[in-house]
């Protein structure tokens, strides 16, 4: 049996990559124990790779009112709405780890209304899904609803911007047929993985 | 009458911005004669500003098989599908200028099937709209259809990546209520503006 | 370069038309300075032409609670929802002229929620779009909402009837590939055109 | 029990109507044995009444390649797609009578694919439904498909124009809550009614 | 003219059926005067036949807070939403008989908002249609809305379960092209049929 | 922390259930090591419970041209389309075990086009999803397409009937808020679970 392709496009060898791109990939490999395929698939275009991960980091690794688990919940919920296999599987793993909850990612990916989360996070995901699916219909009342749950305007930007960034990410992954690493499927599901 | 807000979020004063962000804004003002509101609205978050425009430039200003007018056609068509006022108006102006055609932007924004473009560009926009609206349904046959029109695989990445990037851009603009500059509405419509 | 066709169907010569149809066309040419293509394209069927413009005039040129600009806003918003290039471009021009506002037509065609209009007109357009897109869901509460904004029941009939008439008009234009006159794109955008 | 209203709007008394409108209503009453509610409901606006029925007659009573039953099939199929109770019930009755078939109207209203009609009429209804539901997607290939079934271009105009006219009619009926006469439900279903 | 097929699949002869299946069919024939085609079409698979009608009877013939006419209204409304010709025609007939109302079935099949029913039954059908079309969006508030109309939780289960069972039934009928018996079209429409 | 409810409805104690229902539940507990919540939640209505599982067994445990893994693939794909958390999680586990593949269930639930399956199974799932989502559009050509992949007409009935049965199951689960057992999330993902 042959190894399935991880992209419809050629995947560069590490040694052929610009130094900064290779360094970023080696760093994530060091931390995670493997190289998530998004790094290899997007390295086909180093300029876009740099912008993609700079944007990602600006949204996902900043300080702010949202926890890391909440940020990943937004990713998983909107990727579910966009039917993006890579992002559901990869970010589902990260969500399980951050939330220390082996069930939450599948719940959020399928139907956040049935997830074990409080109404504040339900409102957060409802807004994220509106940005993902019907952004032209956003009105001031949507902001008011989130403020009533205690979100600041900067939190709301974060929620919407993460949904918007993964609108890009989901479409890239779907277009190039990006394949999730096998490792992600199990990560965070059993005690020794957490 | 008060000046309408250009964003639901505060717009920073130029003098309060990091040097690189301010420099970018002054450069575009120098070239265009005014500062497109997307620069001011996104400068609210300098880190995201930098990543956004790095990504934009990597896709829109690179060499490649697509002309600049074709890239803008993709922006306008997918922004039309997403009902994004800012991007339709601002990139419609740029498309008129690049294509030296005062009618094309409105045609492409409303219904590319009625635009004055050859079947090759019709196929390009059909693929871009599939990435924008139904990316999970993309299959190998979609690539074959574009190759039959003479597009290389790198051209196809460009088409899809531009559609994906503006999926992000449209959602950000809709979420924050980004207002197009009045100047854009007329640009490229009359000889002296071209 | 050949002149693009204005319809998938033959366009009659003026001298071959019945007197009343030709007279109507000459009258509009006298007033507008050119013959909007809808007159020529629909003259292919004189009986339908007469009924179409009689209906149009009954709705658009009557006295009543709606201003002429408001009537055109309904046309442009619902034509936007139906992706009708002819009606967006031609009635967009008329809206700019009636409203003495060069920006309003593009705003309303793309997303009325971002248009520079008061909440009364927002409610008017929301109802028009419901008639255009989901008329079977109209309930008494929709009438109550408009009455709360000061619309009379006769005004509401006007709003809904204009949306319904352009449901017809948009479908005819899309079916026969009706091409907007080049003149419309610029009308009302610059001072000398107003 | 009170008689249900036939419209959300006042229904004029016959004696208060303009002579031509009253004459038209009395003529249809003479022929049908009762006054279809559409005549009474639309008589609230005599100018629109005249244009509506002039348009209706131009499409439904003209000579041409489509039979009267085929014209009514288009009405019933597109009214089904628009969930218009009045038009399904009233024109369903007319279709049963013209086609001398007590089953056809319900079949066509629900799902033309399951109706007892040949492939030529299936193609006719598929085009009519495209005009009704997705007219912006009509392309030259749609015309070619109908020509392959033997339809002339004038037949195709008829098909599309009837679908477009009832896009208007369905929306008016839904907006004003037009109630079908009880008589229509049974007409054409039993031998003595045919 | 040949008799139209009642299914895309072979229809067994009565004498070839297992005794219990044949007995059930003869019993319904005795009662109704003819064999509804659903019995013959599903008898192609006796095991599934038994489960189907056991489920049907458990929902439709049980005691409970919903009347028999209300149960049939749920069937007709959701079958209308699913465009299922067999179920609309056959259960429309049953609804006319149970409700002793020759108009109600067509009203409910097309648009329950225009049916002659009180707000309690409007709420019942709105919930049934949500189960039929958007069940993942059901939330506790939907239950509260029905309780406010006096429905018990067991009634609500009945409403939802009937909608869910006919989601199955409609799909089977559509898949195999199940044809309604001609008799159903007229049943319950004229006094002697009631 | 309290145990989350497994249903919006009361869950009966085993000792209060009819003997046959309790026996079925104990048998599945014996085999699986735990009682899947669908058995407890549906036992609220023993008559419906019996019909539900009789139907389930008739489709899922019969002999025939489809493998057990293929049947579960149909369940998972259509449950994905219906956003049914219970069925995706529970039948995803069963699919992993039957297919001896820890990745397949997540692939099929999100986007079968990206699953590691041959074109024959792709065609099977495309038909199942058409039954699930657009059954009124099924035409003879859909059958021809499956026959071209070697499916018999009885196989096609199986595919469609499973999709139809889970249209019921998904709606029931969504309506009552059926919660998947925690055990299912991990089953079949690690060697010792297979």
């Amino acid at each position: 049996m042959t190894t399935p392709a991880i992209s419809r496009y050629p995947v560069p060898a590490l040694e052929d990559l610009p130094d900064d791109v290779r360094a970023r990939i080696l760093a994530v490999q060091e931390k995670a124990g493997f190289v998530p395929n998004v790094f290899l698939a997007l390295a086909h275009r180093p300029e876009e790779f740099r912008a993609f991960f700079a944007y990602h980091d600006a949204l996902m690794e900043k300080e702010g009112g949202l926890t890391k688990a909440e940020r990943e919940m937004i990713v998983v919920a909107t990727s579910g709405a966009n039917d993006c296999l890579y992002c559901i599987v990869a970010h589902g793993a990260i969500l399980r780890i951050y939330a220390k909850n082996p069930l939450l990612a599948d719940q959020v990916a399928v139907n956040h209304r049935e997830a074990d989360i409080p109404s504040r996070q339900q409102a957060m995901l409802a807004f994220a899904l509106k940005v993902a699916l019907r952004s032209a219909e956003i009105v001031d009342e949507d902001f008011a609803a989130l403020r009533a749950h205690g979100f600041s305007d900067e939190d709301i930007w974060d929620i919407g911007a993460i949904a918007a960034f993964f609108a890009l990410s989901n479409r890239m992954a779907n277009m190039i047929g990006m394949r999730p690493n096998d490792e992600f499927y199990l990560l965070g599901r059993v005690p020794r993985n957490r």
Side-chain angles (χ1 to χ4, degrees), chain A residues 137-181:
Chain A
E137 298 178 24
I138 289 177
V139 288
D140 292 344
E141 286 73 10
D142 295 309
F143 282 71
L146 287 181
R147 287 180 198 123
H149 280 284
F151 290 103
S152 73
D153 281 13
E154 294 306 312
D155 295 338
I156 301 174
W157 177 299
D158 285 348
I159 298 169
I162 294 169
F165 178 75
F166 280 88
L168 153 62
S169 179
N170 292 169
R171 281 160 181 75
M172 282 304 297
N174 281 338
M175 178 184 67
I176 70 175
M178 197 188 294
R179 181 181 175 86
N181 306 57

Side-chain angles (χ1 to χ4, degrees), chain A residues 46-140:
Chain A
E47 274 305 303
E48 297 166 38
F49 176 104
R50 291 180 187 109
F52 182 92
F53 288 105
Y55 216 135
H56 174 276
D57 295 353
L59 291 170
M60 303 300 286
E61 303 192 353
K62 70 188 284 282
E63 298 298 306
L66 304 182
T67 67
K68 286 208 165 187
E70 285 173 333
R71 290 168 205 267
E72 296 295 335
M73 288 170 58
I74 296 166
V75 177
V76 172
T78 57
S79 298
N82 289 328
D83 296 327
C84 178
L85 183 64
Y86 186 87
C87 296
I88 292 171
V89 171
H91 287 273
I94 303 172
L95 173 53
R96 286 189 292 269
I97 291 169
Y98 283 163
K100 299 186 196 310
N101 180 331
L103 312 184
L104 188 58
D106 293 333
Q107 294 169 351
V108 166
V110 173
N111 188 355
H112 69 90
R113 294 170 202 81
E114 306 208 358
D116 299 323
I117 54 176
S119 63
R120 181 179 179 277
Q121 292 179 343
Q122 291 286 357
M124 175 186 82
L125 295 181
F127 183 80
L129 288 166
K130 189 166 185 181
V131 172
L133 298 175
R134 302 179 290 128
S135 69
E137 298 178 24
I138 289 177
V139 288
D140 292 344

